[in-house]
Amino acid sequence: MASLFDDLLLPTNVPIPDGFNLRALRNDDFGYLELLKQLTSVGFINQLVFRKRFDAMKKAKSYYIVVLEEVQSSKIVGAATLLIEFKFIHEAGTRGRIEDVVVDERMRGKKLGGLLNQVLVEMAKTIGVYKLSLECKTELIPFYQKFGYQKNLHFLDQRF
Ligand code: 16G
């Protein structure tokens, strides 16, 4: 069993509610894929593909996927990703991106999404990014604004 990053990098100043455990994604967390299906299309990924992608992310050393585990069931009920992008601009600075924030439907309303956001904002500050950004649906803008994000730029995409 391997962790994507050292759990010691998790912030200690964000309180985790009783009954939950916050940790880095591990290479046997296949349940993470089930949770991601509540966010968007995942398709079929077998354990080998999961492990290969996990290994590539670990090797890249810029993926911080945090998961929230329900202690009683050992199930992953929340997850979010901090991706660190290396730049030449801003004195060879780094930019952070928040990706794939998802909380299990049956756990909504417990402010776990907010908790995951706080955790990643703290980690991004510790790493020292010059900017942290994310893309989200229009209706989620007020939610993310609570965590310090401002609506500045437009986001454009192409689908293939
Ligand atoms: C949301 C996610 C983004 C994810 C996308 C998937 C957050 C803050 N944003 O925009 O990270 O990649 O959904 O949707 O979690 P897609 O499959 O339509 O790209």
Side-chain angles (χ1 to χ4, degrees):
M1 192 257 295
S3 282
L4 188 58
F5 63 90
D6 192 337
D7 281 328
L8 288 171
L9 293 171
L10 292 167
T12 50
N13 58 348
V14 181
I16 308 303
D18 286 346
F20 296 96
N21 178 31
L22 182 80
R23 59 172 176 80
L25 183 76
R26 296 178 189 149
N27 67 350
D28 58 355
D29 278 332
F30 306 113
Y32 173 57
L33 297 176
E34 290 309 309
L35 182 65
L36 281 180
K37 286 178 187 169
Q38 294 185 33
L39 177 71
T40 187
S41 158
V42 175
F44 178 73
I45 298 184
N46 64 27
Q47 296 192 357
L48 182 68
V49 174
F50 177 84
R51 283 231 156 96
K52 278 194 172 169
R53 179 47 46 98
F54 180 98
D55 289 346
M57 285 178 166
K58 190 171 166 72
K59 203 170 157 199
K61 292 188 177 149
S62 49
Y63 289 86
Y64 298 85
I65 303 179
V66 297
V67 300
L68 205 51
E69 192 178 45
E70 186 187 31
V71 175
Q72 193 193 6
S73 63
S74 300
K75 276 199 168 161
I76 296 177
V77 295
T81 300
L82 169 64
L83 171 61
I84 303 295
E85 199 175 293
F86 295 95
K87 297 281 201 180
F88 283 112
I89 60 173
H90 293 273
E91 295 177 321
T94 52
R95 170 183 180 167
R97 292 180 187 267
I98 302 291
E99 292 277 357
D100 304 334
V101 179
V102 57
V103 172
D104 193 330
E105 276 150 4
R106 65 186 180 89
M107 290 287 164
R108 306 240 168 113
K110 296 181 191 291
K111 301 193 187 298
L112 300 179
L115 172 90
L116 288 163
N117 269 289
Q118 269 178 276
V119 165
L120 294 191
V121 170
E122 286 307 312
M123 288 177 71
K125 282 188 199 163
T126 305
I127 289 166
V129 303
Y130 83 91
K131 175 165 92 175
L132 185 60
S133 63
L134 57 81
E135 34 193 88
C136 70
K137 292 181 185 148
T138 309
E139 60 265 31
L140 286 174
I141 293 174
F143 169 74
Y144 283 110
Q145 281 175 329
K146 287 192 267 181
F147 304 100
Y149 298 93
Q150 289 170 11
K151 195 173 174 302
N152 283 321
L153 303 170
H154 295 286
F155 169 71
L156 290 83
D157 72 358
Q158 274 189 66
R159 301 261 158 169
F160 302 102

